[in-house]
């Protein structure tokens, strides 16, 4: 009596399932980036509105949140803008040390942009 092996269909099915799982990851990453970008602009718009209304404490909060999302996106321009707005608000409120710290942090991102543009 000859035993038949049924391993071949099982491995083929397993291979197809694994390929499908890995191919779906790329769309998920793009969707996540898109959601983060949308959230950034939502916070950014809210911060701009509050800044124009001169409600600096709330605007500072939203710029800070937007900066964190800019870091998650690795978008230096978004980070720099948020930091410079934060520094401006700190200077208006006579927080010179905090303003200087925010501006100095923005300079680090300027340097990263400059270095990447030279390469």
């Amino acid at each position: 009596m000859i035993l038949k092996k049924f391993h071949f269909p099982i491995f083929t099915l397993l291979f197809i399932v694994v390929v499908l799982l890995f191919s779906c990851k790329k769309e998920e990453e793009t969707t996540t980036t898109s959601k983060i970008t949308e959230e950034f602009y939502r916070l950014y718009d809210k911060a701009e509105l509050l800044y124009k209304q001169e409600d600096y404490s709330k605007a500072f909060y939203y710029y800070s949140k937007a900066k964190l999302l800019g870091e998650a996106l690795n978008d230096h321009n978004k980070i720099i803008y948020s930091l410079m707005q934060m520094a401006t608000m700190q200077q208006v409120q006579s927080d010179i040390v905090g303003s200087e710290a925010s501006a100095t942090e923005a300079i680090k991102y300027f340097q990263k942009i400059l270095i990447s543009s030279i390469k």
Side-chain angles (χ1 to χ4, degrees):
M1 183 167 144
I2 300 175
L3 294 174
K4 294 184 180 181
K5 293 185 179 182
F6 292 103
H7 298 289
F8 179 72
I10 293 172
F11 287 124
T12 304
L13 183 62
L14 182 64
F15 177 74
I16 291 171
V17 169
V18 169
V19 168
L20 288 175
L21 287 175
F22 283 114
S23 66
C24 292
K25 262 190 174 177
K26 291 181 183 178
E27 292 177 21
E28 191 174 295
E29 290 173 5
T30 305
T31 305
T32 304
T33 303
S34 175
K35 286 181 182 178
I36 293 173
T37 303
E38 288 176 17
E39 180 67 12
F40 171 83
Y41 283 113
R42 187 186 69 77
L43 292 171
Y44 168 79
D45 290 339
K46 184 135 182 143
E48 286 289 312
L49 180 67
L50 292 167
Y51 181 77
K52 287 177 184 173
Q53 294 173 353
E54 296 182 0
D55 189 356
Y56 296 127
S57 61
K58 289 181 183 175
F60 187 89
Y61 172 79
Y62 286 108
Y63 278 122
S64 178
K65 290 283 211 180
K67 177 189 141 279
L68 294 174
L69 290 177
E71 289 174 351
L73 292 169
N74 200 22
D75 188 339
H76 298 303
N77 291 327
K78 290 178 174 134
I79 298 168
I80 290 169
Y81 184 78
S82 296
L83 284 169
M84 293 309 293
Q85 289 296 93
M86 290 164 62
T88 302
M89 287 184 287
Q90 288 170 321
Q91 187 175 14
V92 167
Q93 293 180 333
S94 300
D95 182 8
I96 305 302
V97 175
S99 177
E100 186 177 324
S102 296
T104 303
E105 188 176 350
I107 290 172
K108 293 176 187 175
Y109 289 103
F110 276 123
Q111 290 173 340
K112 289 179 182 179
I113 290 175
L114 182 63
I115 289 170
S116 66
S117 67
I118 291 174
K119 291 181 182 179

